[in-house]
Amino acid sequence: MSISTSDILNHISAIHTYSLAAYLRWTAPYFSPEQQEERDTLDVIIADQERTVDKIGAIIIDMREVVIGGEFPLDYTSYHDLGFDYLLGKLIENETEIIEKVTKCVNALPEDSEFRAVTEKVLGNDKAHLEMLQELQDGAATS
């Protein structure tokens, strides 16, 4: 059984819609006053993921397919009101999982597909997000 392009795109959309960063948008992680860079980084990742969801959703709709919803993992509820220092490790784990999943999706699309180019850009953004988070972690380790 082959997976359709819209299924693959829906999976990528769901991965970003229900990421840990997206969830934290609706919670209140604690940032110390000195953690403005950390707050800004999280905001950039959230905004990038929202743009990804919007772009992929528009492509799915243009294909005359349905954007499929989902839900956040239940274990995210245990992350309410925690400090960013703790959440940073969880965000790195989640971003690593996102990269693994999106890589599989990209590889499932034909190389000459117009959608593959879009998904490769998404994967590039995901890798940049991981790098940003790792730089924050490296900076915290040296402080």
Side-chain angles (χ1 to χ4, degrees), residues 11-12 15 96-106:
H11 190 58
I12 292 172
I15 289 167
T96 301
E97 291 170 7
I98 288 171
I99 290 167
E100 290 170 5
K101 291 174 183 176
V102 172
T103 298
K104 288 179 183 175
C105 290
V106 169

Side-chain angles (χ1 to χ4, degrees), residues 57-101:
I59 291 170
I60 294 168
I61 290 168
D62 287 347
M63 295 170 65
R64 302 215 184 283
E65 297 288 343
V66 176
V67 177
I68 299 171
E71 56 190 33
F72 288 105
L74 190 57
D75 63 332
Y76 285 4
T77 60
S78 65
Y79 299 149
H80 282 254
D81 303 319
L82 295 176
F84 186 79
D85 292 336
Y86 173 78
L87 293 170
L88 179 57
K90 297 295 182 187
L91 283 162
I92 289 171
E93 287 174 23
N94 184 246
E95 198 62 45
T96 301
E97 291 170 7
I98 288 171
I99 290 167
E100 290 170 5
K101 291 174 183 176

Side-chain angles (χ1 to χ4, degrees), residues 2 4 38 65 82 97 136:
S2 87
S4 72
E38 288 85 345
E65 297 288 343
L82 295 176
E97 291 170 7
L136 289 177

